[in-house]
Amino acid sequence: PWCESFEEYASNGYPQDWYRYNQAGSNNPCTYRFYTRTGDRCLQFYINRTTSPTAYAILPDLDIDDIRHTTVHLFMSVSNYGSCRLVVGVMENPEDISTFVPVDTLANGYQTGNNSYKGHSINMQRYNGEGRFIAFCAFMQSSSSGYIYLDDLIITADPQPVATLIAPTSVRFDIDT
């Protein structure tokens, strides 16, 4: 599995091999030292319907043969009465947000604080494309602004069924007469 708990980054930092995008061009999303699920850091998305209505965090290429054979496990908390949403998707080009293809949309309701995280598991088999970059897009559904906190991210490879064809190497018939 591939894991990220955001512990090794300073507050307001960001994993250096990840990509990110937001309309305001600011340091968003970034690591944050409050409202963590475990440890001292989490990933914080700030969403403002006027200045930065969406924010993207994009993982590096995980060198996975087929992204459809993975499951994304994460814990999420939000700070704005249920209007914050996190879309899990895949991108072909991490520097071009037009290649973002949604797979699932997560909503938690209002929750803020260390004990308010909700776990989610997203099976990526619904994705139909050639992308190799798992991405997260945070957006506001109705309110003016809010935060999403993401922690303890794990990507696992799903076991694939193995078709086994057993071909006899010889056939012997015993006929009693």
Side-chain angles (χ1 to χ4, degrees):
W2 183 90
C3 305
E4 181 61 78
S5 63
F6 307 102
E7 298 304 312
E8 65 185 75
Y9 310 101
S11 194
N12 294 321
Y14 195 70
Q16 70 182 44
D17 53 345
W18 287 37
Y19 301 84
R20 68 177 153 193
Y21 174 81
N22 69 74
Q23 287 90 337
S26 63
N27 189 23
N28 175 39
C30 64
T31 53
Y32 191 63
R33 66 184 183 106
F34 298 105
Y35 304 127
T36 63
R37 178 178 173 268
T38 59
D40 295 326
R41 300 283 188 271
C42 64
L43 187 65
Q44 173 190 267
F45 294 82
Y46 172 70
I47 311 102
N48 181 301
R49 285 187 59 149
T50 305
T51 60
S52 184
T54 58
Y56 292 81
I58 305 143
L59 276 64
D61 185 343
L62 301 179
D63 195 27
I64 296 170
D65 290 334
D66 189 342
I67 210 83
R68 290 173 287 224
H69 301 302
T70 61
T71 299
V72 176
H73 307 276
L74 59 87
F75 289 87
M76 180 176 115
S77 181
V78 300
S79 72
N80 194 316
Y81 299 103
S83 65
C84 296
R85 300 287 186 264
L86 186 70
V87 182
V88 180
V90 180
M91 297 176 76
E92 287 187 30
N93 180 352
E95 297 177 0
D96 180 0
I97 62 166
S98 71
T99 68
F100 181 81
V101 176
V103 174
D104 202 358
T105 300
L106 311 177
N108 273 19
Y110 178 71
Q111 303 172 330
T112 300
N114 301 49
N115 297 320
S116 63
Y117 274 82
K118 182 178 177 186
H120 297 274
S121 292
I122 302 90
N123 187 309
M124 302 301 280
Q125 70 184 10
R126 290 181 289 197
Y127 174 68
N128 187 16
E130 300 299 319
R132 298 183 54 84
F133 299 89
I134 295 172
F136 305 97
C137 173
F139 73 96
M140 293 298 293
Q141 185 171 1
S142 59
S143 298
S144 60
S145 64
Y147 295 90
I148 292 178
Y149 305 98
L150 183 70
D151 209 354
D152 301 324
L153 175 64
I154 300 172
I155 313 290
T156 58
D158 298 333
Q160 297 304 305
V162 177
T164 304
L165 178 61
I166 301 173
T169 55
S170 65
V171 178
R172 183 179 141 195
F173 293 97
D174 289 328
I175 301 174
D176 291 352
T177 56

